[in-house]
Amino acid sequence: MLAVHLVSFFFSKLQEDPTKKVDRFLHAMRLQDDQLIDISKRFLAEMKKGLSAESTAAAAVKMLPTHVRSTPDGSEKGQFLALDLGGSKFKVLRVKVREDVGIRKGGVEMEEKIYPIPKELHVGRAAELFDHVSESLKDFLHEKNIGLEKRHPLAFTFSFPCEHPSLDQGLLVSWCKNYKIRGLQGKDVVQALRQSIGRAGDMDVEILAMVGDTVATMMTCGFDDQCCEVGLIIGTGTNACYMEELRHIDLVEGDEGRMCVNTEWGAFGDDGALDDHITEFDRDVDAASLNPGKQTFEKMISGMYLGELVRLVVLKMAKLGLLFDGRVSDALRTKGKITTADVAAMEEYRNGLNNTRNILAHLHLDPSPDDCIAVQHVSTIVSFRSSNLVAAGLAAILTRIGQNRNVRGLRITVGVDGTVYKTHPQYPKRLHKVVRRLLPECQVRFVLSESGSSKGAALVAAVAQRLTSQRRKVDEALSLFTLNQQQLQLVKSRMREGLEAGLKSKGSSVKMLPSFVYHTPDGTEYGKFLALDLGGTNFRAMLVRFKRQKSRLYHKIYTIPLEIMQGTGEELFDHLAQCVCDFLDYMGLKKARLPAGFTFSFPCEQSGVDTGTLVSWTKGFKATDCEGQDVVSMLREAIKRRNEFDLDIVALLNDTVGTMMSCAYEDPQCEIGMIAGTGSNLCYMEQLKNIEKIKEDSGITRTDTEMCINTEWGGLGDDRCLDEIITPYDAEVDIHSVNPGKQRFEKLTSGMYLGEIVRQVLLDLTRRGLLFKGNVTETLKTPGIFETKYLSQIESDRLALLQVRSILQHLGLRGTCDDSIVVKEVCGAVSRRAAQLCGAGMAAVVDKIREDRRLERLSITVGVDGALYKLHPHFSQVLKETVKVMAPQCDVTFLPSEEGSGKGAALIAAVVRQKQEM
Ligand code: BG6
Ligand code: BG6
Ligand code: GLC
Ligand code: GLC
C-alpha cells in the first residue's frame, strides 16, 4: 500500500515538474543551435544589405559608417572632457590620456560624475535635454576646478543611431530605448549640443568627436588589446560595431583600410525578418513601448525589456492558472514591476530561488515553492534567449570579419559593456559558450570594458585632435604655394620689366635673345629638310617634306645618357653626330647633303640665323667646353670628325621658336611659342624697332618690321626680383641644382624641378612627423625620383587613391591612404602654382604685344609644347584660366604643337634656303 502511495506521489511530482510546464509554455523562446545558425545567416545578409549603396535605404539594419578608421595605437594623448549619454546613466567625465604609457601603468586617468536626468526630459524637447546636459557639464567644470581660460576638447558618447558625415557631426536617425524627444530627428546632434553649451555660457569647449557607445567601447578595450575589433553593448539597449573593410562601405569614399561600422543591430527584424521567432509577449512589449514597430531585435534582448518580458509571461501563466493557483495581483499587472535587476537576482546561483520568492512577494503574490522554480525558469528562458540572439548576431559579425580577411581560424577580441552583461550572473558565460559553439574555429576573447565608454571616446577625440593639428601644419606648408591676385600681378609686372630690360641691353636676367627669324611661315615652303632637336626630354632626328602646304615627317628618338649630358662638349656633339648618322642610315639618305635646321633648346646669343654661342647650359646639361662656343660649329666639327655624312646646317633655333613656327604653319595667328616641359620658356614676334640692343650691335636695316625674340623667361628672378614668392623648398631645390641662383622662374615652373619641389615638401613633412609615420627613407632622400610623368599620374582625377598609393610604392614610398591624400595635395599645390606663374608671365607678354600694337583687344594664338602642358591633367587649364584673368583684354588661343619643334626647324631651314636661292 505504502509502495502504491509512494509511486503515485512521485508520479504526481513528475507531472507537476514546474520547469517542464514552463519549457512547454515558452517553447518558441527556446532557440536551438540550428535556429541560431539560421538567424545568424539572416543577419549576415542584412549586414550586406545595409552596406550596399543600392539596398541601404531599404535595409532595416543601417550599418552606419562612423569615420573611426583605426583602433588605438598607443600614440594618443591629451586631456579631454567627455559626455556619456544614452546608457542607463548620464555621466560627465574628465579623461587624461598620457602618451605611450598604457592603461595598466596609469596611462589613462578618469574622474566622473553621474547626473540624473529627470524623467520628463526623456520625452520633452531637444533643447531642454541638451540644456540639462550643458548645465551638468558646467557644474562638473566648477566642481573639479577645471579652469575656463583655455579651450577644452570634448568627446561625446551618444548612444542612439546617427549618420556621421564626419567625426564631429551626427544626424540623428531616430530615438529609441527610453527616449522620445521632439525636434531632433535628421538634425546634427553635435550642433544641438554646441548651441546649448553656448546658451549655458562661460565654457569654451570644442566638440572633437561624437561616437556611439559600441564604438567607444571597442576603443576603450582596444587600448589594451590591439586585437579588439568588435564593440558590443548589452545594456539598456543592445548593439554592436566592428571594423569593416573600407572597400565594402559604399557610402564612404576610399577603398583602402578599414572603418568602424555601427551595425545598429537593434533594428534587425523591423522588416519582418524575425517574424517566425516573435512571440505574443514580444508583440505586447513592442506595443507598449515608446517606439512600436521599431528595434525588434533590441526588444528581445536588452535590459530595458527583459524584465517586462518576464512579467508578461508570468502574468499570462497566472491567468491561465499555471502559476499562483490562477491568482493575479495588481502589481503583476503593472508595467515595469519586474526589472532586469530582478531577472538577474532571480537567476543568482545560490540565492536565486530565495530572491524570486521575495520579488514575487513584493508583487503581492503568494508563490508556492514550485511557483518560484517556475518563475525562475521563465527568467532563465527569457535571458537565455537574449544571450542566444546576441551570440547569433555576433557569430555573423565574426564570420564576416573572417571572410574579409580570408582566414578560417580568426583570432579576435570583443569589447563588451552594458548592465545586462555586467550584472547578470550567468549571462557572460552563456554568451561565450554559445558563440564558441557556433564558431568552433574562431578564437574569441571577450573583454569587459571596466571603465565605460568615455575612455574610448577620448581616444577617438585624441586621434581627431592629432589629425586636426597635423592637417593644420600640412595646410600651412601648402599655403606657401598659394598665390593671391596681388602676388600674380607682381609676377606679371616683374615679367614685363624683365622683357623691357632684356630688349634694351645684354646681361639682363630675362635675356631676350634675337632669333633672326623675321616672320612666320606663309605656306609657300617646299622641299626636303633634316631637323635635329636637342634639349627636351630626348634628342630627335627628323626628315620633313613640304609640298603644297602639306608636310610629311619621319623621325627617330634617341635618349641622351646622363654621362653624356654632363661629360665633355666633344663627347656630346660626337654622340649627336652618331645619332644623325644612324638616322640617315635608317632613311637611306647618307649620301645626300640635306639642308638642316638645328633646334637647340638652350639660351644662345645669335648674330645670324645659322650661328649662335651658348650663353649657359640649363635643365641639368653641363657638358664642358660649350658655354661661349658656337654650337653650330661644334656640330659641324663633330660631323667632320665622323666623316661619314655631310649636312648643310642652315638654321639654329630655340625650341620655342620651332614650336611657334610649326604651329604658325597651321594657324597664321600664332605669334607666340611656349614650352612647358623639362624647361620653361617663351618666344614671340617683337617689333624690330623695340629691339634696341640689336640696333646698337649690328646696325641692321631691313624691310622687315618684326623679329622673333626668344625671351628665355626662365631666368626671371635671377636678379632676386621674385624672392617674395620663393619658398624655402624652392631655395633648397635651387641650392642642389647644377646651376644655383640661375633660372629661378624656370625652377618654379618646369617639369625638371616640380618633382624636386614636391620631394622637398614631402621630406620636410616627413621629418616633422606629418607623413609616412615620420620615417625618412633613402628613397625620399634621392633627388629626381618624382619625374613629371609621376606628378601627372598622381594628380589624375580618374585615379583612385589605391592607385596613387601603388605609384608611390613603385617609387619606393610606402604609406597609408592618408599619406597618399597628402602627397596628392602637395603635387597639386606645386603644379598649380607653376601653371599660375606661367599664366602671369604669358599675360605680361600678350599685354605688351597688345599695347605695342595699340589695340583695345588682341586676339592671338600660342603654339605650345612640352610634357607638362600636354600630359599634366590640370596644368593647361589653370594656365588658361590665369591668362584670362590676368590679361582680360586678350583672347589667347593655345594650340598644342603636333609634331614638335622639328617641323618648325625645317620650316626655317626652308625659308633660309628659299632666300639663298633667290
Ligand atoms: C556604459 C557606457 O558603461 O555602458 C555607456 O559608458 C553605455 O556609454 C552603457 O551606453 C551601456 O550600458 P547601460 O546598461 O548603461 O545601457
Ligand atoms: C618637343 C619639342 O616636342 O618638346 C622639343 O620637339 C622641346 O623641341 C620639347 O624641347 C619640350 O618638351 P619636354 O617635355 O620634352 O621638355
Ligand atoms: C540602442 C541604440 C544604439 C546603442 C544601443 C546600446 O540600440 O540605437 O545606438 O548602441 O542602444 O546603448
Ligand atoms: C630652358 C632653355 C630654353 C628652352 C627651355 C624649354 O629654359 O634655357 O632655351 O627653350 O628650357 O626647353
Side-chain angles (χ1 to χ4, degrees), residues 555-778:
H555 80 151
K556 220 173 157 186
I557 292 177
Y558 300 88
T559 51
I560 309 274
L562 189 71
E563 61 274 19
I564 300 256
M565 271 161 86
Q566 303 187 349
T568 67
E570 211 172 277
E571 281 162 357
L572 172 65
F573 282 90
D574 281 347
H575 181 74
L576 300 188
Q578 184 195 328
C579 298
V580 177
C581 185
D582 173 83
F583 180 68
L584 292 175
D585 251 345
Y586 170 74
M587 298 298 300
L589 285 169
K590 223 156 157 196
K591 297 275 168 301
R593 186 174 182 265
L594 289 173
F598 181 23
T599 307
F600 184 71
S601 312
F602 302 94
C604 280
E605 198 70 67
Q606 292 188 256
S607 53
V609 73
D610 61 349
T611 163
T613 46
L614 174 63
V615 180
S616 55
W617 284 118
T618 52
K619 298 182 289 193
F621 274 71
K622 58 169 187 193
T624 54
D625 310 320
C626 298
E627 291 177 352
Q629 302 294 315
D630 177 7
V631 290
V632 177
S633 308
M634 288 188 84
L635 181 60
R636 282 196 188 117
E637 277 156 26
I639 293 171
K640 214 186 266 167
R641 275 199 295 280
R642 189 156 191 99
N643 199 20
E644 276 188 65
F645 65 95
D646 198 9
L647 283 188
D648 178 15
I649 305 167
V650 296
L652 173 75
L653 56 140
N654 187 258
D655 53 357
T656 52
V657 182
T659 301
M660 178 190 78
M661 293 297 279
S662 165
C663 292
Y665 193 65
E666 316 294 328
D667 176 354
Q669 266 206 8
C670 179
E671 295 180 85
I672 301 178
M674 177 188 182
I675 301 286
T678 315
S680 170
N681 194 12
L682 174 138
C683 73
Y684 71 100
M685 296 305 292
E686 177 58 275
Q687 299 187 1
L688 259 182
K689 64 173 169 34
N690 291 342
I691 314 173
E692 293 177 28
K693 62 185 178 186
I694 298 197
K695 279 187 271 175
E696 284 163 17
D697 265 17
S698 53
I700 296 179
T701 46
R702 298 180 52 100
T703 48
D704 296 303
T705 54
E706 291 188 322
M707 184 193 281
C708 178
I709 292 288
N710 165 18
T711 63
E712 287 293 330
W713 79 4
L716 181 74
D718 292 4
D719 58 359
R720 314 207 66 112
C721 74
L722 291 179
D723 280 10
E724 283 155 79
I725 59 158
I726 283 181
T727 70
Y729 306 113
D730 301 311
E732 202 64 24
V733 169
D734 178 51
I735 288 167
H736 294 108
S737 68
V738 295
N739 52 353
K742 295 272 172 328
Q743 299 293 96
R744 300 309 302 265
F745 188 69
E746 178 159 85
K747 284 173 185 162
L748 306 177
T749 51
S750 83
M752 171 137 189
Y753 304 100
L754 297 193
E756 269 306 277
I757 305 174
V758 167
R759 191 180 68 84
Q760 288 297 343
V761 180
L762 299 186
L763 206 54
D764 177 51
L765 295 182
T766 309
R767 285 191 180 126
R768 291 162 62 196
L770 304 169
L771 251 188
F772 303 126
K773 291 209 170 106
N775 191 7
V776 179
T777 56
E778 282 310 310

Side-chain angles (χ1 to χ4, degrees), residues 84 87-89 91 157 159 213 233 235-237 417-419 422 452-453:
D84 184 356
S88 52
K89 294 181 185 95
K91 297 181 217 166
T157 308
S159 306
D213 51 1
I233 300 282
T236 316
D417 205 345
T419 26
K422 283 201 284 209
S453 71

Side-chain angles (χ1 to χ4, degrees), residues 797-854:
D797 291 333
R798 281 170 305 169
L799 225 57
L801 269 186
L802 196 62
Q803 287 163 289
V804 173
R805 200 169 161 193
S806 78
I807 295 170
L808 292 175
Q809 270 174 5
H810 172 77
L811 292 174
L813 298 171
R814 290 180 186 280
T816 61
C817 248
D818 289 337
D819 290 336
S820 309
I821 295 173
V822 174
V823 172
K824 195 170 174 170
E825 285 174 352
V826 174
C827 293
V830 171
S831 66
R832 185 179 170 76
R833 181 187 65 161
Q836 287 180 319
L837 288 173
C838 288
M842 173 72 74
V845 174
V846 289
D847 257 351
K848 177 176 189 317
I849 298 176
R850 183 184 62 77
E851 285 168 25
D852 287 348
R853 295 184 190 173
R854 296 177 206 285

Side-chain angles (χ1 to χ4, degrees), residues 97 143 228 401-402 646 675:
V97 189
E143 190 182 304
C228 183
I401 296 176
D646 198 9
I675 301 286

Side-chain angles (χ1 to χ4, degrees), residues 110-359:
M110 293 174 45
E111 291 167 87
E112 67 171 43
K113 187 170 175 192
I114 296 170
Y115 288 86
I117 296 190
K119 261 207 166 122
E120 60 277 15
L121 290 190
H122 284 241
V123 289
R125 287 190 308 117
E128 289 164 355
L129 175 67
F130 282 102
D131 284 351
H132 178 72
V133 168
S134 304
E135 289 300 336
S136 308
L137 176 64
K138 198 168 167 183
D139 175 80
F140 184 80
L141 290 176
H142 189 70
E143 190 182 304
K144 301 286 174 201
N145 251 330
I146 300 176
L148 297 172
E149 60 285 352
K150 65 171 196 172
R151 199 145 212 232
H152 296 289
L154 182 139
F156 184 22
T157 308
F158 181 71
S159 306
F160 299 93
C162 284
E163 282 172 9
H164 293 274
S166 63
L167 203 54
D168 61 355
Q169 278 178 297
L171 312 178
L172 180 72
V173 177
S174 57
W175 290 103
C176 56
K177 300 183 279 196
N178 46 352
Y179 283 83
K180 190 176 187 179
I181 306 265
R182 291 189 300 279
L184 203 59
Q185 208 157 316
K187 303 221 173 93
D188 182 6
V189 180
V190 177
Q191 189 56 16
L193 176 60
R194 224 175 256 139
Q195 283 165 354
S196 81
I197 290 177
R199 279 196 296 275
D202 294 340
M203 287 182 281
D204 193 4
V205 168
E206 183 183 16
I207 308 168
L208 285 178
M210 182 179 101
V211 286
D213 51 1
T214 54
V215 184
T217 298
M218 179 185 80
M219 296 296 282
T220 298
C221 298
F223 193 63
D224 264 349
D225 180 339
Q226 300 258 314
C227 291
C228 183
E229 297 200 15
V230 180
L232 173 65
I233 300 282
I234 315 154
T236 316
T238 181
N239 191 13
C241 71
Y242 72 104
M243 295 303 287
E244 175 59 90
E245 304 297 315
L246 207 50
R247 65 178 188 277
H248 294 149
I249 310 175
D250 285 1
L251 296 180
V252 180
E253 261 214 45
D255 39 23
E256 223 190 323
R258 295 181 190 161
M259 181 179 280
C260 180
V261 167
N262 168 16
T263 64
E264 283 296 332
W265 78 9
F268 180 32
D270 288 5
D271 55 359
L274 290 173
D275 278 4
D276 48 343
H277 295 291
I278 301 286
T279 65
E280 57 173 300
F281 309 107
D282 297 311
R283 272 190 284 276
D284 288 350
V285 162
D286 179 52
S289 70
L290 287 174
N291 53 350
K294 297 274 185 305
Q295 300 292 95
T296 309
F297 196 52
E298 180 160 85
K299 286 171 186 165
M300 297 163 94
I301 293 173
S302 78
M304 170 132 182
Y305 309 99
L306 285 187
E308 194 53 12
L309 280 170
V310 170
R311 185 187 70 85
L312 290 169
V313 173
V314 171
L315 178 64
K316 180 75 186 258
M317 286 183 79
K319 281 183 179 167
L320 291 174
L322 294 168
L323 287 174
F324 320 124
D325 290 332
R327 279 191 305 274
V328 176
S329 67
D330 279 348
L332 185 61
R333 283 201 190 88
T334 310
K335 187 181 166 196
K337 281 290 174 183
I338 297 183
T339 63
T340 301
D342 294 334
V343 174
M346 288 195 266
E347 289 178 59
E348 236 177 59
Y349 178 53
R350 283 183 204 282
N351 295 329
L353 275 180
N354 225 352
N355 292 344
T356 309
R357 191 175 42 249
N358 291 341
I359 289 163

